[in-house]
Structures are given as C-alpha cells and as structure tokens.
Amino acid sequence: MEAVGEEKGATVAEEGKMMKEQGEKGVVASTSEAEKEKMVEAKGEKAVAASEAEGGKMVEGQGEKAVATSEAEDVKMVEGKGEKAVATTEAEDVKMVEGKGEKAVATTEAEDVKMVEWKGEKAVAATEAEIGTSEPKDVAGGRLITLKSSDGKVHRASVAAAQLSVILSGMIEEVVTDDEVVIVPLVDGPTLVTVLEYCTKHAEVAAAARGTSAVAFATASKALEAWDRDFLDRLTMDALHDLFVASNFLEIQGLLNAIAQKAADVIKGKTTEQIRDAFNIVNDLTPEQEATAAELRRKYTWDYHPEA
Amino acid sequence: MAMPPSRSWAELQHDLLVSIMTRVGAPDLLWGGASRACSSWRAAARDPLAWRRVDLRDWVALTSGRRAARPGHSSSRVSVHAALVGILEVAAKLAEGRIEAVLLPEFADEDHLLFLAERCPNLHYFSLPSTCMTYDQFCKAIGGLQSLKGMAVDESLINYDVLLHVHQCCPDFVELKVSALYVDEEMASVICNSLPRLKKLEIPSCDMSSAAIIRFLDCLEQLEHLDISGYETSAISSPVLEKASRLKVFLWNSKFELGEFMDCSNCGEHNINPQEPCKCMMEHKVMDWLAGPS
C-alpha cells in the first residue's frame, strides 16, 4: 500500500512540474495575445478562443479532447454565466484527482487573457511577462505541497501560495517530507480549488514585485486589485459564501477583506426585500424587534430636532 | 453536476457579518435594508465595530433616507447643520464613543469637529473639506483629539501655528491630505517645518512647483507615501524621480514629460473606501525608465 501511495505521489509531483512549465508557456502566449488583442479589440471572445486553442496545442498526449471541452466552459464563463463557475471548478477538481493538470493550465491562461482584455494595454502584458520570468525559479526551487480537502480530494499547490493562509502555513511547518499530505478539514474540494487559485495568483505577483521600485509596486498592486474584483465577479453567491467561510477558517485576510467588500457592494442601495432575495435570508425578526426598529427610526428622526 | 443547495448568509458567523457591515456605509446602515434583513444582520449592523469608520460625505443619500422616513413632514425644515449633529450622535452611540475615522460632508464646520472631539476622543482620522474654518475653534477641537493620526483638510488650514498645534497635541500624527489649487515652496516649507514626522502626504489634483516637490522629498525624512496625482502639469523631473525612489508609494502623472499618457489618480481616501482601478500605463513607463540606468 505504501509503495503504491509513493508511486502516485511521484506521478502527481511530476504532473505538478509539467503544470508549472506549461503555465510558463501560457504566460508567454498571453503576451503575444496582448498584441493581437489590440487588432481585434471588438472581438474579445474570439481572442479568448484563440488563446484557448493555443493552450490546447501545448497540452500533449491524450488529454487534448478533455482540455478542449473544459476550455469551452471557460468561454462560457467569459460570457458572464456565473453559474458555470461552480461546474467548471468541479470539473477541474475531478481532473486533478485523475492526475491530469491540463485544466489548471487552461484556467490560468484564461485569467491572463481576461486581465489583458480588461486593461487592453501592454503594461499588463509586460507584467505577465515578468511573472513568466519568475516561474522558472518557482519550478526549480519552489516546494510543492499536497492538500486533501474535506471531501477527500487531493490538490497540489506551491508552498509559497499555501503560506498566504496562516492555518496552512502552520500545518506545512509540521510536514516532514514533500510526499506527506496535509489534511484541510471544513473546506470542500471546489472551494479549496478557488482558494488556491487566489493564493497562487497573489504569491506569483508578490514574487514578481519583490525588489521593484515604489512606482512598480503601486502599479502591480492596482493590477492585482482589479484581478481580485474580476476573480470574485465570476463566482455565484453560493460560491462566494463558501469562499468567505473558508478564508475565515484558513485565515487569509486579504481574501476575506475582498469578499466582505464584494458583499457590501451588493448590499448598497438595496431594500430589505431585495437583500433577503440576494442573500437567501429568511426574516426571523420578532414582532418586538420589528416594532423596535420602527421606534428607532422615529427616534433617529427625532434626533434631527435636538432643539425641539 | 447538480447545483448545491443555496446558502443562507443569515447563518454566517457574527464577526464575518460585521466585516461586511463595516464596508456598507452609514446611509445603508441607517436607512437601507441591511439592518432589517434578519436578526443576525440586525445584530451585526448595530455592532460597535460596524461604526468605527463613518463616511458621511454623500449627504444626498443621507437626506434622501431622512425624507423617506418622514413622508408626512417632507416640507418641514431642519437645518443641515443640526441634522448632521443628529447623525453624528447616532453614530457615536452605536460606536460606543469609539469612532476611529469620520469623513464629513462639505458643509460641516468646527462645531461638528468639536462634537466629535467631545464624544469620540479616540478618533484617529477625519476629513473636513470646509474652506472657512476658524483657527481657534479648530485648534480647540484638535486639543481634544490626542489620538489623531491623520486628517484631510483644505489649504486654508495650512498655517504654521495651526499645524504646529496639531504636531504638539497629537504625538501619533503621521498622515496629511490637503485640498489645494497650488502649492509652492513656501507652503511646502510650512508643512515640513510644522509636521516633520509625516509618513503619508496626499495633495491630489494640485498644481505644484518642482521646488515644492523637492522640498517635501528632502525634508520629510520619514515620508513613505506621496500622492501628487491628478494634475496635468506636475513638475516631474529626473532629480524628483531619483529622490522619490526611496518611497514605498509615489503617485503622480504627467501628460507632457513622458508623452501622451492617460491620467492616473488615487480615487480612494484613507482606508475607508477601496481604491478604484486606475490605468497605469504611464506608471509602468516610469518603471521601465527607472530600470534603465541600472
């Protein structure tokens, strides 16, 4: 049993390295995509499809069809169908369990393309190129860690990404060998995949920004904030809810803050009923509390006449 | 895949709901639906932590809510001055006197600042756009705000004696934002001489002389963050960029020194509102330029 486990671990490790290398190529592809982006500004969707196709070419072996199918889902996500995010995440999860890392690469590329689309400028492409430059270091010197979510699924991530979580950082310190699995209770597979997506992005940007000037740092920070918003906009309210709970449990303060801001933006300007609909809330206020609320409203009004 | 059952945000932990409420803003907490959706949201909306930072700049939203609350008295007149005091009273109560940051509307004056000094002595930051503040009343209010770390004020308050008073009364004061049309070396000297320990200085949308910028960079040794963005002819030169390289954050823009680039401005203020996305092609150009010599 142990021998079989080790063998699988080795396979997953190799797969992880392939993922990293392919990710690097994907970033370079995005750079060239940025130039195409300017020429076909009005046809963003096709550009995304082109990028996906290019991504597909880089994937060797028997996984191409599966990747193509997944990339179709990515295109739908670009079309703004938030519900697909959950399915896509789950599909991604299944593939990772099977030991095939193609989907992760495709997802990364899709994100890169969206960033380029959003900015439409070479600055972002150059930033991506920088991230590409830092990838080899991660591949060569960066450790990978194996995480198991509450539903028993296995996920690979770089230690640098996982360490954005205070909880995971503490768990990793206990790990003796790289083959050991860190068990993450209370966070299911789809949610953990989303968490790691966020952490990986932030770890990459932090690595690329290290040692740069104040101006470059400010530039990278703003681009990352835009990425965060785009990242959260893709999620359903249910996925956002689960991510919120997970970021709290795992103590990822930046992610928790971003989700709280997102929820606050949804709340602003809405009536009580609209809020209940948006957040799936059942009114459980007692008649006394309702009456108190009405009284407080009158009281607030009275406060506008302190001289009366 | 089957869609999972829908989650209810009513069942989130209290502190997670509070972290949302801290970002909702006073108008929605007072008049919107957030505080009445259900019992757990009501409790979170009334938590003192939700009232540590109060943004009252958008007075239209506040007054619209007030009118809605009194449909039968829409014609009644309450001075905006008194109404603002009323809202500050409510906010101070809910915060249990521990408001940390307040952004006041344009018509707020020294009476409102004095109210805050009396009821919320632990205030860390305030924004007070008024252009006709009396020095003695302002200084009196400052005397009661010994925990103050930063403030955003109009250039009419940039006076050596006033700022020195701030420096003397508020040992932790490190952050200043000024609304000004033009800053010359003399005004820069006043700021540097009276507030030598500034770490963050924001003077957006202001015409500023090169000498003034250099003065700030030379004299404010502990400066980490300088924002002079938002104006078209900021005097950015090689010496300025060289001196600014020691900063953690340096926000500026120029359509002329580096060719035709888009404006970049820091749309946020303090840490109440998140910064809006800005286009940073120009800043990236500077990054390339700074990387060139090395």
Side-chain angles (χ1 to χ4, degrees):
Chain A
M1 291 298 290
E2 293 181 356
V4 173
E6 287 180 359
E7 184 177 349
K8 286 186 177 179
T11 303
V12 173
E14 291 172 359
E15 196 69 31
K17 291 186 177 180
M18 284 183 60
M19 283 170 52
K20 284 291 181 178
E21 292 167 358
Q22 290 169 354
E24 183 181 351
K25 292 182 179 179
V27 171
V28 174
S30 295
T31 303
S32 63
E33 284 298 323
E35 296 173 7
K36 294 183 180 178
E37 197 66 37
K38 288 196 169 183
M39 294 186 288
V40 294
E41 204 166 291
K43 305 178 178 179
E45 203 169 308
K46 289 188 178 180
V48 173
S51 174
E52 301 304 329
E54 192 162 358
K57 291 178 182 176
M58 293 187 293
V59 179
E60 300 173 356
Q62 302 174 356
E64 287 186 19
K65 288 185 178 179
V67 171
T69 303
S70 302
E71 285 160 359
E73 289 173 342
D74 285 344
V75 173
K76 290 179 182 176
M77 285 174 58
V78 174
E79 291 172 356
K81 299 182 177 179
E83 294 85 356
K84 203 63 179 175
V86 173
T88 303
T89 302
E90 288 165 346
E92 183 177 0
D93 190 52
V94 170
K95 288 192 173 62
M96 290 179 71
V97 170
E98 293 169 353
K100 300 178 180 178
E102 297 92 339
K103 183 61 179 67
V105 174
T107 302
T108 301
E109 290 162 6
E111 288 164 9
D112 291 345
V113 172
K114 284 175 201 166
M115 274 190 67
V116 173
E117 278 186 319
W118 181 83
K119 287 285 190 174
E121 284 146 352
K122 289 185 177 179
V124 178
T127 302
E128 297 297 331
E130 285 182 348
I131 295 175
T133 303
S134 70
E135 290 283 356
K137 292 185 178 180
D138 285 348
V139 174
R143 286 174 58 204
L144 293 179
I145 190 74
T146 304
L147 307 171
K148 179 180 283 190
S149 49
S150 62
D151 49 4
K153 293 169 181 173
V154 173
H155 317 265
R156 294 286 284 179
S158 70
V159 167
Q163 284 179 337
L164 266 71
S165 157
V166 175
I167 299 298
L168 292 184
S169 183
M171 287 178 170
I172 290 169
E173 288 178 1
E174 304 296 326
V175 170
V176 177
T177 68
D178 287 351
D179 291 337
E180 197 169 337
V181 175
V182 173
I183 298 177
V184 185
L186 302 181
V187 182
D188 63 12
T191 304
L192 187 56
V193 167
T194 309
V195 166
L196 293 175
E197 191 178 339
Y198 171 93
C199 292
T200 299
K201 179 64 177 181
H202 278 243
E204 285 174 355
V205 172
R210 200 167 299 128
T212 59
S213 67
V215 174
F217 180 83
T219 301
S221 294
K222 287 179 180 175
L224 191 55
E225 284 171 18
W227 185 91
D228 284 352
R229 272 187 292 273
D230 184 58
F231 171 76
L232 295 179
D233 284 345
R234 288 167 25 199
L235 304 177
T236 62
M237 289 301 288
D238 281 349
L240 198 67
H241 172 283
D242 293 346
L243 196 63
F244 199 24
V245 173
S247 66
N248 184 48
F249 167 70
L250 296 173
E251 293 188 43
I252 306 172
Q253 194 62 43
L255 178 55
L256 188 146
N257 289 342
I259 297 168
Q261 183 62 56
K262 167 73 178 180
D265 292 340
V266 173
I267 290 169
K268 288 176 184 176
K270 283 187 167 62
T271 65
T272 305
E273 279 307 318
Q274 287 171 331
I275 288 174
R276 288 175 183 151
D277 289 342
F279 291 90
N280 188 37
I281 290 173
V282 175
N283 178 20
D284 63 346
L285 291 173
T286 65
E288 289 74 23
Q289 283 176 318
E290 297 268 24
T292 302
E295 285 180 21
L296 286 173
R297 268 195 141 186
R298 285 193 293 271
K299 184 171 186 293
Y300 290 168
T301 303
W302 176 87
D303 281 343
Y304 295 120
H305 305 271
E307 63 274 11
Chain B
M1 294 290 186
M3 293 295 293
S6 193
R7 317 283 199 257
S8 172
W9 291 64
E11 295 161 13
L12 286 173
Q13 289 174 221
H14 178 71
D15 56 344
L16 286 180
L17 290 176
V18 172
S19 71
I20 296 175
M21 296 304 173
T22 60
R23 294 172 167 82
V24 166
D28 284 277
L29 288 180
L30 286 168
W31 308 107
S35 59
R36 279 174 291 279
C38 62
S39 59
S40 60
W41 279 47
R42 178 174 178 274
R46 296 172 59 82
D47 190 293
L49 288 175
W51 293 88
R52 289 291 172 87
R53 299 182 178 87
V54 180
D55 182 351
L56 303 174
R57 290 173 296 174
D58 188 2
W59 188 249
V60 172
L62 286 163
T63 53
S64 297
R66 186 173 67 84
R67 266 195 301 273
R70 291 166 55 85
H73 300 78
S74 58
S75 61
S76 70
R77 296 199 173 192
V78 177
S79 72
V80 291
H81 184 284
L84 179 55
V85 173
I87 289 184
L88 290 175
E89 181 84 39
V90 172
K93 280 182 191 172
L94 290 172
E96 296 177 352
R98 300 208 306 236
I99 296 179
E100 290 177 359
V102 175
L103 307 185
L104 292 163
E106 286 184 350
F107 61 86
D109 59 20
E110 58 263 24
D111 288 341
H112 301 103
L113 193 60
L114 281 163
F115 175 89
L116 288 169
E118 179 184 338
R119 296 292 307 275
C120 307
N122 295 314
L123 196 68
H124 289 167
Y125 186 95
F126 68 83
S127 166
L128 181 51
S130 172
T131 58
C132 51
M133 191 77 49
T134 56
Y135 286 170
D136 57 338
Q137 293 299 304
F138 180 82
C139 288
K140 180 180 176 185
I142 291 294
L145 294 170
Q146 295 175 12
S147 299
L148 200 67
K149 294 180 179 177
M151 68 183 186
V153 294
D154 180 73
E155 62 181 314
S156 59
L157 282 170
I158 302 306
N159 166 281
Y160 179 78
D161 293 327
V162 170
L163 295 183
L164 185 64
H165 183 71
V166 171
H167 176 69
Q168 291 170 340
C169 293
C170 313
D172 297 321
F173 194 87
V174 293
E175 184 177 336
L176 176 68
K177 179 170 183 178
V178 182
S179 298
L181 292 179
Y182 179 73
V183 171
D184 57 10
E185 191 173 5
E186 182 181 357
M187 182 179 286
S189 297
V190 167
I191 294 174
C192 293
N193 293 334
S194 56
L195 298 169
R197 291 200 303 261
L198 282 183
K199 291 184 177 178
K200 184 176 182 182
L201 178 61
E202 298 167 286
I203 314 185
S205 301
C206 169
D207 188 12
M208 192 176 301
S209 69
S210 180
I213 301 172
I214 292 178
R215 171 66 65 137
F216 286 132
L217 293 170
D218 282 345
C219 297
L220 297 175
E221 294 179 359
Q222 299 178 38
L223 194 66
E224 297 172 359
H225 181 123
L226 178 61
D227 177 2
I228 52 176
S229 60
Y231 201 78
E232 293 184 5
T233 56
S234 59
I236 302 300
S237 58
S238 301
V240 167
L241 289 174
E242 187 176 341
K243 291 174 184 291
S245 63
R246 69 176 171 91
L247 303 178
K248 290 180 180 176
V249 176
F250 181 43
L251 300 173
W252 58 279
N253 61 314
S254 169
K255 285 187 175 179
F256 300 94
E257 281 85 351
L258 298 177
E260 200 67 25
F261 293 101
M262 310 193 74
D263 284 346
C264 169
S265 65
N266 182 351
C267 308
E269 182 168 355
H270 200 42
N271 57 356
I272 288 185
N273 292 325
Q275 294 180 12
E276 296 296 324
C278 298
K279 306 203 172 188
C280 302
M281 168 68 82
M282 165 271 302
E283 292 183 348
H284 183 73
K285 192 71 175 181
V286 176
M287 181 172 67
D288 283 340
W289 184 86
L290 288 173
S294 62

